[in-house]
Amino acid sequence: MTETLCKRCGTLAQIYSRKEHFCQQCFCTFVSSKQRKQMMSDAYFQDIFKVMHQDKVRTEEQAAAENAASRVLVPLSLGSSSLTMLDILNDTLKEQKLTQRGKTGFHVDALICFKRPELNELKKQVNKLSTIRYKENQSSIKFHYVDLESFYNEPEFQLLILSKKYLCSSIDGSKSNIKSLLEQCPNSTSREDLLTFVTRHLVKKYAFQNNHKAILWGHSMTKLADETMSLVVKGRGEHISSLIDSSQPDFDYGGKFRHLYPLKDVLLSEVDAYCYSSGLDKFLVNYTPQDTLLLTKHSETKSIGKLIKNMTINEMVRKYFDDIEKDYSNVISTVVRTADKLAEPKKIEPQEKCTLCKGNIHTLGPNWLQSITVEEGYAVKTEEEKELYRKWCDSDLRNQRDEALALVDSVTSRGNPVPLCYGCIITLGGVKNRCVTWPRDSDNELNQTLKEFELRDEE
Ligand SMILES: [Zn+2]
Ligand SMILES: [Zn+2]
């Protein structure tokens, strides 16, 4: 059997991607170049990542100050994409030190938003990363931890409740926690949606408070495609453009930073192959990378299939893209390119934000939902129907419904109407009793310092 050789350097090939054979090293260089291209995609990001030197417009001190102020935030889940992105940032810093007389152009803060039970495993892996793999850059790459529960470390809360007419009212609420929020969700999609808002808000708030110039999200092209399709399915298509826009600052958080998706040109299977090729796979938490592009498979990586009915919408879309990634990867890039071109729809009330997800509002959700909803029940006619109706009247289900309706009525009469986007009306409509406890949005909330989890040395 003849050996397949890397098209770029002629050594033994180990990976096959985009109709080309690569050795491990050339493949890592290929992925890395895709990320670096995004990091240099416009003047704003160039200013962040480039090493500034003394020149005609700046003194040496000014150049040093600019380099020190170029700080980016990397939300790190320790899945394959966020870790690959961090790894390429580390390589970039190493190279800068080597070629720019010991100087570097930027600093990285990696932020880990954790749930308590996962903390020990995350800490263990981060410790290995920071003391072994990223040892040379310990002063430029710092790790921070924020407990997801800190979302509820706020002074003021509100109870948001959805009426039969799909209108949302707010009354004063008392402190809650993530656990009870998630327990109220009837399915994994709404749990995932609410948890995404919580995490995204914590990350943005952290960037706001710590003066980062950009948040670098690890999303691969595949992840961006499944995020786009899932948003459409969930009635949240109006927020696609603001989610992936990296051409302007995030004005909802004071316009202090921009968002960047450095791996948007790299497929998830390529990110995973990068993990294997660069030895990152042993640092991953809760994730087994796919070996689809490797010429020699890792036989132990067969994942256990999940039942469709237990999947979230994102997971279903992801499964679809995983299935087509090998032969039809152009579908994925088309979805992402299309999403990139979407403009934001016209806002209804320019200043109004959704109370749950903080997104802009572009449709009159309640009007549309009222127009397609039949509120009158169907009359009970046959004996069988009468019997079933009697059973329902005697059951707990009826009590629960009556309680929920009474709560809605009492809150609607005393509460203040608050805006919700269409997608959040649907999410809240599916939550138990159609209500959630949410922090009250205010400037005060954004400035309330996020407490970082302190690491003690002995742990
Ligand atoms: Zn090669
Ligand atoms: Zn919303």
Side-chain angles (χ1 to χ4, degrees):
M1 205 179 91
T2 52
E3 281 174 341
T4 316
L5 300 178
C6 170
K7 207 171 143 192
R8 301 189 176 194
C9 72
T11 59
L12 185 67
Q14 311 237 27
I15 291 146
Y16 182 69
S17 178
R18 308 197 191 197
K19 303 192 170 66
E20 190 181 331
H21 284 96
F22 292 90
C23 70
Q24 289 187 328
Q25 200 173 1
C26 290
F27 185 73
C28 289
T29 309
F30 165 74
V31 172
S32 176
S33 68
K34 295 270 176 200
Q35 167 160 333
R36 288 169 199 232
K37 193 176 149 212
Q38 288 302 325
M39 285 160 57
M40 290 293 147
S41 55
D42 73 16
Y44 181 83
F45 293 109
Q46 283 167 13
D47 277 352
I48 295 179
F49 293 110
K50 268 203 317 217
V51 183
M52 298 298 179
H53 292 285
Q54 179 183 0
D55 56 17
K56 275 180 239 142
V57 291
R58 43 179 84 74
T59 64
E60 196 176 339
E61 288 74 30
Q62 282 168 331
E66 280 184 48
N67 289 330
S70 292
R71 299 175 57 230
V72 296
L73 186 65
V74 168
L76 192 69
S77 64
L78 291 170
S80 61
S81 303
S82 59
L83 200 49
T84 294
M85 181 175 73
L86 184 63
D87 212 58
I88 296 171
L89 290 170
N90 176 60
D91 288 345
T92 312
L93 287 166
K94 275 204 294 201
E95 262 175 46
Q96 288 187 341
K97 268 190 187 166
L98 215 64
T99 57
Q100 312 278 331
R101 288 168 281 150
K103 290 197 171 76
T104 51
F106 61 99
H107 289 259
V108 178
D109 287 304
L111 182 66
I112 298 128
C113 295
F114 66 91
K115 289 189 211 142
R116 293 272 164 78
E118 298 165 349
L119 182 60
N120 281 337
E121 176 66 11
L122 290 166
K123 270 182 353 195
K124 206 174 85 196
Q125 297 293 45
V126 165
N127 193 31
K128 274 199 277 176
L129 278 172
S130 147
T131 54
I132 303 168
R133 196 167 173 110
Y134 303 148
K135 193 163 188 275
E136 289 171 59
N137 284 318
Q138 270 183 345
S139 59
S140 317
I141 303 180
K142 298 253 191 310
F143 294 88
H144 310 268
Y145 296 82
V146 165
D147 190 338
L148 281 177
E149 288 294 348
S150 40
F151 185 71
Y152 281 110
N153 282 348
E154 298 298 342
E156 284 178 72
F157 295 93
Q158 56 185 333
L159 192 66
L160 298 174
I161 192 153
L162 194 68
S163 76
K164 266 199 300 194
K165 300 259 180 225
Y166 305 100
L167 296 165
C168 185
S169 307
S170 152
I171 54 166
D172 287 339
S174 51
K175 192 174 165 69
S176 182
N177 57 56
I178 298 288
K179 188 166 169 278
S180 36
L181 173 71
L182 298 183
E183 275 168 4
Q184 274 179 287
C185 298
N187 55 48
S188 44
T189 296
S190 51
R191 265 195 297 279
E192 189 178 68
D193 279 357
L194 291 174
L195 213 48
T196 303
F197 301 149
V198 169
T199 314
R200 194 176 291 154
H201 176 60
L202 289 176
V203 170
K204 290 182 177 186
K205 184 168 161 178
Y206 191 91
F208 174 85
Q209 293 182 347
N210 293 281
N211 301 315
H212 289 101
K213 293 197 166 162
I215 301 179
L216 271 54
W217 301 91
H219 300 41
S220 62
M221 192 199 299
T222 316
K223 166 79 184 173
L224 279 171
D226 77 40
E227 191 66 33
T228 302
M229 296 309 287
S230 307
L231 285 170
V232 170
V233 172
K234 290 186 282 201
R236 297 182 179 278
E238 58 185 325
H239 294 141
I240 294 172
S241 76
S242 57
L243 187 76
I244 60 177
D245 184 12
S246 54
S247 69
Q248 49 180 342
D250 191 325
F251 291 111
D252 296 342
Y253 290 78
K256 289 172 80 173
F257 52 82
R258 288 203 205 173
H259 300 281
L260 185 67
Y261 295 87
L263 288 175
K264 70 193 274 192
D265 291 331
V266 185
L267 294 165
L268 180 64
S269 53
E270 293 172 330
V271 167
D272 287 5
Y274 178 97
C275 286
Y276 282 123
S277 306
S278 63
L280 265 187
D281 51 319
K282 46 185 177 294
F283 296 101
L284 299 171
V285 176
N286 284 332
Y287 185 81
T288 311
Q290 319 160 40
D291 57 5
T292 38
L293 303 183
L294 305 190
L295 298 178
T296 317
K297 306 288 177 209
H298 289 234
S299 52
E300 76 275 27
T301 58
K302 277 279 153 285
S303 66
I304 313 147
K306 207 173 177 184
L307 287 174
I308 294 276
K309 73 175 166 68
N310 293 335
M311 285 183 174
T312 65
I313 290 173
N314 282 70
E315 285 168 334
M316 280 186 239
V317 178
R318 166 62 62 83
K319 187 180 175 318
Y320 167 70
F321 283 132
D322 275 350
D323 292 345
I324 64 166
E325 202 173 76
K326 194 155 159 265
D327 301 315
Y328 303 99
S329 59
N330 55 337
V331 175
I332 297 174
S333 57
T334 305
V335 170
V336 175
R337 270 206 309 273
T338 311
D340 250 341
K341 286 189 193 128
L342 293 175
E344 187 178 348
K346 202 167 171 286
K347 290 172 219 159
I348 291 181
E349 288 282 346
Q351 299 309 322
E352 229 170 44
K353 299 277 172 192
C354 171
T355 317
L356 263 184
C357 74
K358 304 186 198 299
N360 290 327
I361 297 180
H362 314 90
T363 43
L364 289 169
N367 294 16
W368 155 246
L369 285 161
Q370 282 166 32
S371 74
I372 58 166
T373 309
V374 179
E375 282 184 27
E376 289 308 308
Y378 177 74
V380 176
K381 281 182 189 151
T382 66
E383 277 310 308
E384 192 190 355
E385 285 169 354
K386 281 180 191 160
E387 175 58 23
L388 286 171
Y389 180 65
R390 258 197 303 280
K391 274 192 189 150
W392 178 77
C393 287
D394 297 337
S395 72
D396 285 345
L397 279 176
R398 189 213 176 141
N399 288 335
Q400 281 169 18
R401 188 204 64 160
D402 289 350
E403 276 170 28
L405 286 181
L407 181 67
V408 170
D409 286 343
S410 82
V411 173
T412 313
S413 60
R414 333 179 249 134
N416 295 316
V418 290
L420 278 190
C421 72
Y422 177 80
C424 287
I425 294 177
I426 303 299
T427 302
L428 188 55
V431 170
K432 193 174 164 209
N433 291 343
R434 294 157 74 104
C435 71
V436 289
T437 301
W438 213 243
R440 256 196 211 288
D441 201 11
S442 62
D443 289 344
N444 195 8
E445 190 270 325
L446 209 52
N447 286 311
Q448 187 90 8
T449 308
L450 259 183
K451 211 170 133 255
E452 275 184 47
F453 185 82
E454 300 286 342
L455 286 185
R456 287 189 300 272
D457 285 341
E458 72 271 20
E459 281 181 86

